[in-house]
């Protein structure tokens, strides 16, 4: 009888110890995840500052193929097919002005993105940490993309109107329209007009009044591509064992 009691008691002790060990391991793992998430957030905010500072430099957009803002269609398509960009001074100037406007506007994005990170609760932050290589970049784009674009737009609009980019784009569109009309006269008129109408109705083509919106969208997209690259670097560093 005593032996049965002893065995039962010992079994209860072992079960209790096992449960305590499991709870301790879970607690340690949870605290480690929180600590890693806090470190990740800290490094990510530093990374955002670095990305925005780099993009805001002269040539930050224009000289970087990852983020360079290309001429909008249909002008970009025509310039690319007809000749090298350098052989078209107006197109070359327009692309430079667009990218410079993005460089001047992008500093407004940094505080908005960092504020999103600062206001994340611990479970959300841990979830972002464990969401994959672009988890943070995708979260920021989803929750702050529209806000960033809204902040960029007035700065870019003022810049592109002041530096003559909007007017220049209008001239390029007008020149393309004249070229289309000449082609229409040289070929089957009805067929050419139908083709021109399809091009005009194509939602990918950017009208003159939408140039500033296009640049704001492209500036935001380029920034998030750079942040995603920075995020991957941060994740790789955090995964490296300390020697």
């Amino acid at each position: 009888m005593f032996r049965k009691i002893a065995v039962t008691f010992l079994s209860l002790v072992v079960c209790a110890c096992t449960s305590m060990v499991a709870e301790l391991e879970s607690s340690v793992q949870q605290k480690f995840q929180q600590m890693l998430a806090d470190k990740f957030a800290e490094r990510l905010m530093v990374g955002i500052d670095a990305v925005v500072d780099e993009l805001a430099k002269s040539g930050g957009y224009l000289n970087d193929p990852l983020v360079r803002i290309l001429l909008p269609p249909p002008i970009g398509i025509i310039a690319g097919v007809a000749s090298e960009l350098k052989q078209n001074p107006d197109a070359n100037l327009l692309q430079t002005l667009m990218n410079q406007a993005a460089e001047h506007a992008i500093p407004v994005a940094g505080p908005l993105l960092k504020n999103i990170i600062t206001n994340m609760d611990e479970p959300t932050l841990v979830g972002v940490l464990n969401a994959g290589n672009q988890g943070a970049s995708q979260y920021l784009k989803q929750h702050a993309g529209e806000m960033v674009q809204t902040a960029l737009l007035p700065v870019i609009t003022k810049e592109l109107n002041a530096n003559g980019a909007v007017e220049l784009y209008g001239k390029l569109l007008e020149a393309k329209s004249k070229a289309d009309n000449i082609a229409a006269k040289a070929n089957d008129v009805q067929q050419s007009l139908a083709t021109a109408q399809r091009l005009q109705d194509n939602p990918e083509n950017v009208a003159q009044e939408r140039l500033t919106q296009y640049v704001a969208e492209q500036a935001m997209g380029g920034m998030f591509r750079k942040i995603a690259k920075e995020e991957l670097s941060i994740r790789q560093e955090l995964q490296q064992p300390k020697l």
Side-chain angles (χ1 to χ4, degrees):
M1 184 69 172
F2 175 77
R3 185 173 181 177
K4 288 184 178 179
I5 294 174
V7 171
T8 302
F9 177 75
L10 185 59
S11 298
L12 291 173
V13 170
V14 170
C15 289
C17 289
T18 302
S19 178
M20 288 177 61
V21 169
E23 289 179 5
L24 181 61
E25 288 179 348
S26 177
S27 177
V28 169
Q29 180 64 23
Q30 184 178 1
K31 288 185 181 299
F32 176 75
Q33 283 286 303
Q34 291 175 352
M35 181 188 69
L36 196 61
D38 290 340
K39 184 68 175 177
F40 176 68
E42 178 186 325
R43 294 291 304 278
L44 187 60
M45 287 197 285
V46 173
I48 287 172
D49 280 337
V51 166
V52 172
D53 287 347
E54 184 178 352
L55 291 175
K57 292 179 180 177
S58 177
Y61 273 92
L62 186 62
N63 298 335
D64 187 343
L66 181 65
V67 297
R68 182 185 302 130
I69 301 173
L70 303 178
L71 291 171
I75 300 302
I77 297 173
I78 299 303
V81 172
S83 62
E84 291 293 330
L85 191 60
K86 292 181 180 178
Q87 296 176 2
N88 188 332
D90 286 341
N92 187 34
L93 174 59
L94 176 60
Q95 181 162 308
T96 299
L97 295 175
M98 287 162 47
N99 282 272
Q100 286 177 344
E103 291 159 9
H104 296 160
I106 201 61
V108 303
L112 297 175
L113 297 179
K114 290 165 65 178
N115 186 58
I116 293 289
I117 298 172
T118 300
N119 289 320
M120 282 185 190
D121 57 28
E122 204 70 46
T124 301
L125 191 53
V126 171
V128 167
L129 174 66
N130 296 321
N133 286 338
Q134 295 186 8
S137 305
Q138 292 170 353
Y139 182 93
L140 289 172
K141 189 172 184 178
Q142 178 183 354
H143 290 82
E146 185 175 344
M147 185 168 32
V148 168
Q149 190 172 311
T150 299
L152 290 174
L153 187 57
V155 184
I156 289 175
T157 299
K158 181 178 179 181
E159 181 94 9
L160 292 183
N161 279 292
N163 65 21
V166 174
E167 182 181 358
L168 179 59
Y169 184 56
K171 290 180 179 178
L172 288 170
L173 288 175
E174 184 179 353
K176 179 189 176 302
S177 178
K178 289 181 179 179
D180 287 343
N181 289 335
I182 293 173
K185 291 178 181 179
N187 300 298
D188 180 7
V189 177
Q190 293 300 323
Q191 182 179 354
S192 297
L193 287 176
T195 301
Q197 183 63 43
R198 284 198 302 272
L199 287 173
Q200 183 178 350
D201 293 340
N202 188 338
E204 294 183 355
N205 288 343
V206 178
Q208 183 179 4
E209 61 271 15
R210 285 201 69 253
L211 179 65
T212 57
Q213 181 73 28
Y214 169 82
V215 175
E217 291 171 356
Q218 296 300 308
M220 180 192 68
M223 179 195 66
F224 279 118
R225 287 194 294 275
K226 293 281 281 189
I227 291 175
K229 185 178 179 181
E230 183 72 17
E231 177 185 355
L232 180 59
S233 176
I234 292 170
R235 288 181 180 276
Q236 290 172 342
E237 289 179 11
L238 290 177
Q239 289 172 359
Q240 291 177 355
K242 300 296 182 181
L243 299 178

